[in-house]
Amino acid sequence: MAENDFPFIDFNRETYSPEDMLERSRTFLDWADERRSVRDFSDEPVPKEVMENILMTGSTAPSGAHKQPWTFCLISNASLKSKLRALAEEEEKKSYGGRMSDEWLEDLAPLGTDWEKEFIDIAPWIVIVMKRPYEIQEDGSKRQNYYVSESVGLASGFLLMAVHNAGLVALTHTPSPMNFIAKALERPDNERPFLLIPIGYPSKSARVPDIIRKSKSDVIEYYD
Ligand code: IYR
């Protein structure tokens, strides 16, 4: 058997009656709907093992050919956080100061974002989600991964739900361009930064915009 072959095993999971499914799916939706992106963090510590569990939940996501093309950099080091903040703010100042279109800035205005990224210093943990377009094999040759952005996006979604489940909050921050992150973390050539995610407790005074989510008729097209 080749190294990457997996034997097939029986799969039996618990199923639910239609009534129970309805109840469970509604309860899960209500719970998921409570998740919010939060920009104001507390500096209260969060145990490392909680973070490891959250990241490993992200790592249960499906991926192209089961290549799991992600690495999660788990950062708590204060001077590294400060360095990342300074570098992110340098880029964001340029973005907010002219690189982003007027229309983009107009779309962001109601969310209250700006170039300042204080949360990178304050949140106890910063996760950098790296995507791996290819693997470097032992003989030095490259082997492609598949549907890398889709896979890493799914892993990030799973991770965010695990954060929510732990009673913590996160922000999916996308400093742009992000090359500085790979450099600061001395990541290998086959990794590219995908998201910067501060994770922690919300600050006591945290406020969030009162957003309205799209309704069923906005997001579902039926083909019965
Ligand atoms: N990357 C910037 C700008 C930004 C862009 C979008 I699209 C957002 O939904 C929020 C922010 C930043 O992180 O501030």
Side-chain angles (χ1 to χ4, degrees):
M1 193 168 63
E3 192 190 327
N4 281 335
D5 281 352
F6 304 107
F8 273 68
I9 52 171
D10 291 341
F11 180 69
N12 292 305
R13 65 148 297 166
E14 192 183 358
T15 56
Y16 309 105
S17 68
E19 299 73 36
D20 286 355
M21 257 196 286
L22 195 57
E23 167 66 22
R24 290 175 67 93
S25 59
R26 264 202 202 117
T27 305
F28 190 78
L29 167 59
D30 289 345
W31 171 81
D33 199 24
E34 286 168 12
R35 188 203 54 78
R36 297 298 311 270
S37 291
V38 171
R39 291 179 170 73
D40 299 316
F41 288 82
S42 153
D43 61 2
E44 195 176 336
V46 169
K48 191 185 219 166
E49 200 176 339
V50 170
M51 292 304 300
E52 290 171 340
N53 289 338
I54 287 170
L55 298 182
M56 293 316 288
T57 302
S59 205
T60 67
S63 62
H66 190 55
K67 295 291 184 181
Q68 305 168 87
W70 46 69
T71 302
F72 305 109
C73 299
L74 181 57
I75 302 167
S76 61
N77 181 283
S79 58
L80 182 54
K81 287 197 295 175
S82 292
K83 182 175 173 185
L84 288 174
R85 174 185 175 180
L87 294 168
E89 288 184 337
E90 209 177 290
E91 292 298 345
E92 294 290 83
K93 249 186 219 163
K94 288 185 217 156
S95 294
Y96 281 86
R99 252 187 335 212
M100 287 150 83
S101 66
D102 289 345
E103 190 176 294
W104 193 349
L105 292 171
E106 206 181 291
D107 280 339
L108 287 181
L111 302 176
T113 68
D114 59 26
W115 63 267
E116 265 202 285
K117 304 300 172 191
E118 202 182 21
F119 54 75
I120 301 179
D121 269 330
I122 296 176
W125 296 102
I126 303 294
V127 171
I128 309 287
V129 180
M130 306 292 297
K131 64 178 182 183
R132 301 166 65 101
Y134 59 91
E135 300 299 327
I136 304 164
Q137 304 190 103
E138 268 172 31
D139 65 1
S141 63
K142 293 179 184 176
R143 190 159 178 133
Q144 275 322 114
N145 287 327
Y146 310 100
Y147 299 102
V148 172
S149 295
E150 291 85 344
S151 302
V152 181
L154 285 161
S156 302
F158 279 37
L159 185 163
L160 291 177
M161 288 309 251
V163 168
H164 182 45
N165 178 62
L168 300 170
V169 294
L171 179 68
T172 40
H173 175 41
T174 50
S176 172
M178 286 206 268
N179 334 0
F180 71 87
I181 297 178
K183 225 170 137 193
L185 300 181
E186 300 178 352
R187 300 309 305 161
D189 285 349
N190 67 327
E191 290 188 3
R192 313 264 179 280
F194 185 75
L195 287 173
L196 185 161
I197 310 180
I199 298 173
Y201 293 95
S203 81
K204 293 267 181 285
S205 59
R207 289 168 68 80
V208 292
D210 193 11
I211 53 165
I212 298 161
R213 297 200 205 271
K214 285 184 173 178
S215 67
K216 246 197 254 192
S217 61
D218 290 326
V219 299
I220 306 178
E221 292 285 345
Y222 297 90
Y223 294 84
D224 288 340

